Amino acid sequence: MSVKNREVIIMSIILDIIVMGLIKGSIYALLAISFSLIFGVARIVNIAHTAFYMVAAYCIYTVTNYMGWSAVPAMFVAVILSVILGMVIYKVFLNPIREHEGAVLIATMAIAMVFQEVMTLFFSGSFLSVPNLIEGYFIIFGVKVFYQQLLTLCAAVLVMVVLVIFLFKTKLGLALRSTAQDREVANLMGINESKVAMITMGIAIGLAGFAGAIVVPLEILEPHMWTPPLIMMMAVVVLGGLGSLKGSFVGAYIMGFTEAMVVFLSPQGAFLKVSVALLIMIIVLLIRPEGLFGVYFEEER
Amino acid sequence: MKWLKSNVFVPVLAFVFVMFFWATAFAASDEIRIGVIGPMKFIQGKSQWNGAVMAAEEINAKGGVKVGSKMMKIKLIQADSNEFLSITDATNAMERLITRDKVHFVVGGFRTEAVFAMQDIACQNKVIFIGCGAASDELCNRVAKYYDQYKYFFRGTPFNSTALVKAAFSHVGSTAEVLRNELGITGPIKVAFVAEKAQWADAMVPAVQATLPKMGMELVGVWRPSPVATDVSAELSAIQRSGAQIIFTFFSSSVGIPFARQANELKIPAMQVGINVEAQKAEFWQATRGQGNYVITSSTYARNVECNELTKPFVEAYIKRFGEVPTYTTGTYESIKMSLVDTIEMIGTLDPDKIVATLENRVYKTPPSTIMYVKDNLGRHTHDLKFGPGYATGIASQWQDGEFVGVWPNKWKPAPGVEVTYKGVKPIKIPPWMIKAYKK
């Protein structure tokens, strides 16, 4: 192999890693930030978080396949329905037991299982898929990138920018961050903590639903599709520091790039990508038990 | 709770019990109860049930099964094993079939780990169990090693893993031949081996490394994605860089869908050949949104391909009844109709030991093949299927513009002087982007 050829291959691999890492990282970031948000504000460890991601994906499948709608309005429907469903579930099942963290954990797990079984009931265990919003691919330095992947990346980044603006430039965002920092003091300052928690739940589920909606053309729909992203999302959140939005953001890209590097640098070990990502999380926790941007529990008020 | 103390409660309870046992005993006398066990929420289980339903309907329409001087109807009992998710559910389902439903026979089972456990339960209870899903050789090795314990197990479909591998290599060889002839490739055909990371595929890596060079091919790399990977574009980029002309696939799980779909979307100039269980299903075309075109996979049925004179009538009747081409787990059909019922009518009894003794020595035709149960090197019964020309060979099918077309065996030469072509097979089609890439 000539030196030039080798250089081209190395360049392609690096580019592959960058593209895949960015896409995976952005999806994990969307899920992890929304998960962190609801944990920070309402102290709810929502195991059903990625189940809403699945619900949105199935919504799109239903609306495009059975109602004949195109994918873009289907995405809106999916996100809106997920948000409504999430808020109803919060009001009916989670709010009454919110102070009992163990009970909330188990309740959300049960809700996720119910969603899974309902999907199995209606759609069976068959593998399904939905069409891309944009078909085709482009080639950059010899690397083929789907337009859908690029769209997913752009959409994820855009939503994260909007979220950051919302959190840091609006009054409601300030209320959310205040409640996340200290619920009692926020309450004393006149913030309706219960209402904020409800709104946060809606936003978080909306983000999970949005992640599901933009990812679904790249994924295979099946009733257990919520579990692999759940594991990665939890890992990202723990790696970044529980409740830290910045930590979730950075952790997500670390995990995304790790996965991409394992696949491209070790083809025979591609199946190890999740294990390697989780190993990195464990190593980081051994060095910094509070996660990258977390705080010691003792330091929390 | 006054009623509990009343004099009426105990007689009513006794009456209910008597009625229940009487009903069970009565049912036992004039019907043959066959349990159909499988993952019923999934296509594999549904196909098992459909095959059994078709067999039962045909037999009952003729008046039932002649057992000695008595005619007995077939009654099917469905058991959802949920075996993809829980082996315990699978064993509970088998226990329920045998102890509560008191079935005479069981057909079905899919996941190897679950079938092992089901096999133990059925054999302990001396209930004949015909496996219609798992390919592991070990299931039948058990029969040979511990015959008295496991003789009640027979393989129905598919043939064992060793034979599946032999067939897959033949499919790769035939595809390589087509590429040489049509694209004028002169050197060794470059093959990328992509196998999901699962135990059944692990042994294939050394086998592929040893066998491909002997077939005049070059192995350019081995990729092992997760069985449930949903994005394999990374692997595909690397495969394209390797210059592979054939992608030899070994998928039994969902990864077969994104792999086929993304390979076509990215227009990778290579043919996908091998085992892709998802591609054997009618749903594959929809699941890949038509991007599964040109994928070749081992299979059992394709419309218009005739392994023998029974194939076409069965496939057409199945399509008429269920609206799709049968998959290999519809082997419950021949397991009930040809393996069990024909044997029962031959000997006129439901005695499992007598049925085993007769069935293991029979040679008989079924829609996908001629069945003969082989013995091992020590001459022990294995209740495993004979693979090879004239017996079970399977077929290879290719997705061609939405149609699942049989493409193998087509002038297959398994031995000197032997050439096998099944009626109805069509030539392999090369993807147009591959032709374009090589005919520049």
Side-chain angles (χ1 to χ4, degrees):
Chain A
M1 192 187 293
S2 70
V3 176
K4 198 182 170 190
N5 266 353
R6 195 175 299 154
E7 278 173 3
V8 169
I9 288 175
I10 291 170
M11 267 303 293
S12 315
I13 291 174
I14 291 171
L15 205 71
D16 266 330
I17 291 172
I18 292 171
V19 171
M20 291 302 300
L22 281 174
I23 292 167
K24 285 274 173 196
S26 303
I27 299 300
Y28 292 147
L30 265 183
L31 287 171
I33 287 173
S34 47
F35 180 86
S36 268
L37 206 60
I38 191 67
F39 175 77
V41 173
R43 288 290 184 270
I44 289 175
V45 179
N46 186 12
I47 300 292
H49 197 67
T50 50
F52 287 99
Y53 159 98
M54 172 183 72
V55 168
Y58 270 103
C59 263
I60 292 180
Y61 175 79
T62 309
V63 172
T64 52
N65 257 41
Y66 299 117
M67 296 165 70
W69 291 26
S70 66
V72 177
M75 278 173 69
F76 282 104
V77 171
V79 174
I80 292 166
L81 281 180
S82 319
V83 171
I84 294 170
L85 184 65
M87 291 176 88
V88 168
I89 282 174
Y90 172 78
K91 197 74 189 162
V92 177
F93 296 109
L94 301 181
N95 198 35
I97 55 169
R98 230 181 81 198
E99 298 308 319
H100 310 281
E101 289 180 6
V104 169
L105 190 80
I106 291 163
T108 56
M109 203 181 286
I111 289 164
M113 294 302 291
V114 168
F115 282 171
Q116 177 186 299
E117 294 305 313
V118 168
M119 296 305 152
T120 310
L121 188 69
F122 285 108
F123 300 94
S124 80
S126 303
F127 301 112
L128 307 167
S129 64
V130 303
N132 289 332
L133 287 174
I134 314 175
E135 295 291 346
Y137 61 88
F138 64 97
I139 301 173
I140 176 166
F141 297 113
V143 175
K144 289 176 176 175
V145 180
F146 290 120
Y147 287 123
Q148 182 65 40
Q149 287 177 322
L150 186 70
L151 186 73
T152 303
L153 173 63
C154 294
V157 171
L158 182 71
V159 168
M160 278 190 285
V161 170
V162 170
L163 183 67
V164 169
I165 293 170
F166 166 74
L167 286 175
F168 291 91
K169 301 285 177 193
T170 66
K171 265 192 170 179
L172 187 57
L174 183 65
L176 257 67
R177 286 188 292 124
S178 313
T179 313
Q181 269 182 2
D182 198 315
R183 281 157 72 185
E184 287 167 19
V185 173
N187 225 346
L188 289 172
M189 293 293 123
I191 294 170
N192 185 337
E193 185 264 333
S194 180
K195 199 173 164 187
V196 166
M198 176 89 168
I199 292 168
T200 311
M201 186 72 180
I203 293 169
I205 298 298
L207 288 173
F210 181 76
I214 56 171
V215 159
V216 66
L218 300 171
E219 296 269 339
I220 299 297
L221 274 79
E222 52 99 13
H224 307 101
M225 64 180 284
W226 63 281
T227 45
L230 175 73
I231 294 165
M232 287 307 285
M233 182 193 71
M234 301 282 268
V236 164
V237 169
V238 174
L239 172 67
L242 210 55
S244 161
L245 298 184
K246 193 163 106 188
S248 296
F249 185 80
V250 175
Y253 284 100
I254 290 175
M255 290 301 200
F257 277 99
T258 307
E259 271 196 24
M261 283 168 75
V262 172
V263 172
F264 283 104
L265 301 179
S266 167
Q268 285 214 46
F271 62 93
L272 290 171
K273 60 186 181 187
V274 175
S275 313
V276 173
L278 295 179
L279 188 68
I280 288 179
M281 178 200 80
I282 292 169
I283 292 168
V284 170
L285 288 184
L286 284 174
I287 300 164
R288 270 184 71 87
E290 68 276 22
L292 290 174
F293 296 93
V295 287
Y296 278 113
F297 291 109
E298 303 89 78
E299 288 174 17
E300 278 187 347
R301 252 282 287 134
Chain B
M1 303 302 268
K2 228 179 190 176
W3 61 277
L4 262 176
K5 293 176 188 166
S6 74
N7 292 337
V8 184
F9 177 69
V10 174
V12 166
L13 193 69
F15 177 74
V16 168
F17 271 106
V18 169
M19 286 303 289
F20 176 77
F21 287 111
W22 179 77
T24 311
F26 181 76
S29 65
D30 71 340
E31 62 191 16
I32 298 173
R33 289 183 306 284
I34 300 177
V36 184
I37 191 165
M40 294 299 167
K41 291 192 197 87
F42 294 80
I43 187 77
Q44 292 87 346
K46 284 177 187 163
S47 296
Q48 286 170 331
W49 179 247
N50 290 349
V53 166
M54 215 167 121
E57 282 176 356
E58 286 179 14
I59 293 161
N60 290 342
K62 287 180 185 167
V65 184
K66 192 167 186 297
V67 186
S69 57
K70 196 164 62 172
M71 290 301 282
M72 297 175 82
K73 296 267 179 161
I74 298 276
K75 186 186 179 189
L76 298 177
I77 296 142
Q78 190 185 82
D80 186 355
S81 59
N82 193 31
E83 59 201 82
F84 287 129
L85 304 178
S86 164
I87 305 291
T88 313
D89 286 0
T91 53
N92 287 344
M94 183 59 110
E95 288 277 8
R96 208 165 47 240
L97 278 177
I98 292 171
T99 55
R100 192 191 67 186
D101 301 317
K102 305 217 179 302
V103 294
H104 295 97
F105 310 102
V106 181
V107 294
F110 184 77
R111 193 176 151 201
T112 301
E113 298 91 317
V115 175
F116 272 120
M118 293 179 197
Q119 188 188 35
D120 282 333
I121 297 166
C123 292
Q124 274 164 15
N125 290 281
K126 298 190 175 184
V127 171
I128 293 176
F129 172 31
I130 303 186
C132 298
S136 168
D137 293 39
E138 197 49 36
L139 286 164
C140 288
N141 290 344
R142 280 174 143 193
V143 177
K145 282 185 205 161
Y146 311 104
Y147 180 78
D148 287 338
Q149 189 182 345
Y150 288 110
K151 66 179 178 181
Y152 304 99
F153 179 81
F154 284 81
R155 191 187 297 284
T157 180
F159 40 76
N160 66 37
S161 305
T162 308
L164 280 172
V165 171
K166 280 184 196 166
F169 275 115
S170 298
H171 305 160
V172 170
S174 295
T175 309
E177 202 56 40
V178 170
L179 292 181
R180 283 194 189 98
N181 292 340
E182 295 196 16
L183 302 182
I185 298 169
T186 47
I189 296 284
K190 293 178 179 172
V191 180
F193 181 59
V194 189
E196 65 188 21
K197 185 60 193 168
Q199 195 184 356
W200 76 288
D202 288 347
M204 274 302 289
V205 180
V208 165
Q209 285 163 339
T211 311
L212 286 179
K214 289 180 197 162
M215 294 170 71
M217 294 183 228
E218 181 192 342
L219 181 66
V220 292
V222 176
W223 283 265
R224 305 297 306 271
S226 155
V228 291
T230 53
D231 183 0
V232 285
S233 50
E235 285 88 341
L236 285 165
S237 291
I239 288 168
Q240 179 161 11
R241 268 199 300 275
S242 73
Q245 291 145 338
I246 287 179
I247 304 174
F248 187 4
T249 57
F250 238 62
F251 301 139
S252 71
S253 303
S254 61
V255 66
I257 295 174
F259 191 90
R261 177 177 162 173
Q262 293 185 335
N264 273 20
E265 282 174 346
L266 290 170
K267 305 274 180 274
I268 305 291
M271 290 208 65
Q272 296 173 58
V273 194
I275 297 173
N276 185 341
V277 173
E278 286 303 317
Q280 297 169 0
K281 303 173 188 170
E283 297 166 337
F284 180 71
W285 190 253
Q286 194 280 329
T288 58
R289 297 260 157 201
Q291 294 292 344
N293 215 3
Y294 307 108
V295 168
I296 299 175
T297 179
S298 304
S299 61
T300 305
Y301 295 109
R303 202 167 189 178
N304 299 323
V305 173
E306 296 179 49
C307 306
N308 59 40
E309 67 277 13
L310 301 178
T311 317
K312 198 168 181 180
F314 168 70
V315 172
E316 292 305 321
Y318 190 93
I319 292 171
K320 195 176 168 195
R321 175 76 170 79
F322 299 106
E324 60 186 28
V325 176
T327 62
Y328 76 91
T329 54
T330 52
T332 46
Y333 173 82
E334 60 263 22
S335 297
I336 292 174
K337 196 174 173 193
M338 283 115 183
S339 307
L340 291 172
V341 169
D342 285 356
T343 308
I344 292 166
E345 291 194 333
M346 278 167 69
I347 58 174
T349 174
L350 297 179
D351 183 323
D353 291 299
K354 287 180 181 162
I355 293 172
V356 168
T358 307
L359 182 57
E360 67 188 4
N361 291 306
R362 283 182 60 203
V363 178
Y364 55 101
K365 275 189 181 169
T366 65
S369 62
T370 295
I371 300 281
M372 180 179 162
Y373 298 104
V374 290
K375 291 180 179 173
D376 69 2
N377 295 337
L378 301 172
R380 300 177 297 189
H381 283 289
T382 62
H383 296 177
D384 208 342
L385 306 176
K386 184 173 171 65
F387 171 79
Y391 297 95
T393 60
I395 62 171
S397 302
Q398 183 179 33
W399 281 97
Q400 295 182 357
D401 303 322
E403 204 185 332
F404 197 47
V405 174
V407 292
W408 185 95
N410 191 358
K411 296 176 185 166
W412 174 42
K413 295 183 184 71
V418 181
E419 188 175 284
V420 184
T421 300
Y422 284 163
K423 196 176 166 188
V425 292
K426 289 181 180 173
I428 289 171
K429 272 190 184 174
I430 303 172
W433 58 88
M434 189 175 181
I435 296 173
K436 200 176 159 190
Y438 281 87
K439 292 242 165 152
K440 270 179 188 170

